[in-house]
Amino acid sequence: MAATKVLRSLLHELRRASPNGCIKDSLAAKYILAQYKKFETTDQQFCKARNEAIFLGNTYNTYLNSLRNYKELYTEYHGRGERTVKETADLVGFKLPTDPK
């Protein structure tokens, strides 16, 4: 059951990383599915390589997720030149004092 969950999460991350959202012709998706089928075992078998494959799948999934999060944070907070005082205050969560006249 854990292998299926890892496979689904890997394909989900690949779909999110794909520019058009389609992984039908993706070489990475084909490779992952081939490896999944290669290490598929029954309930009566014990395969050390399958456990290693699940660990490797979890590692790749963590990497893809972290890479996507990094890109989102980079585009959010990367310097785009000079910011106004209000934009900077909003970025860090402060409110500017009002000056009544």
Side-chain angles (χ1 to χ4, degrees):
M1 195 62 144
T4 306
K5 188 175 181 179
V6 171
L7 175 68
R8 288 175 55 92
S9 64
L10 273 172
L11 294 177
H12 178 71
E13 284 297 329
L14 283 176
R15 194 172 292 114
R16 291 179 87 177
S18 174
N20 58 1
C22 181
I23 58 170
K24 185 178 180 180
D25 299 326
S26 171
L27 292 176
K30 288 180 183 179
Y31 176 77
I32 290 171
L33 288 171
Q35 291 298 308
Y36 178 76
K37 289 177 184 175
K38 179 180 176 182
F39 293 111
E40 187 174 29
T41 59
T42 64
D43 291 338
Q44 298 173 350
Q45 295 175 330
F46 179 74
C47 182
K48 185 176 181 181
R50 180 182 175 157
N51 292 337
E52 292 173 6
I54 291 172
F55 176 76
L56 188 62
N58 281 327
T59 304
Y60 283 135
N61 188 31
T62 302
Y63 173 73
L64 289 172
N65 189 9
S66 299
L67 188 63
R68 181 177 46 82
N69 288 337
Y70 168 75
K71 285 181 181 180
E72 289 174 4
L73 289 172
Y74 183 79
T75 56
E76 174 86 18
Y77 295 108
H78 181 67
R80 293 180 293 269
E82 289 291 320
R83 291 189 173 131
T84 64
V85 174
K86 180 164 178 23
E87 287 175 341
T88 306
D90 291 338
L91 184 66
V92 296
F94 290 137
K95 293 181 183 178
L96 289 178
T98 56
D99 188 24
K101 291 186 180 186

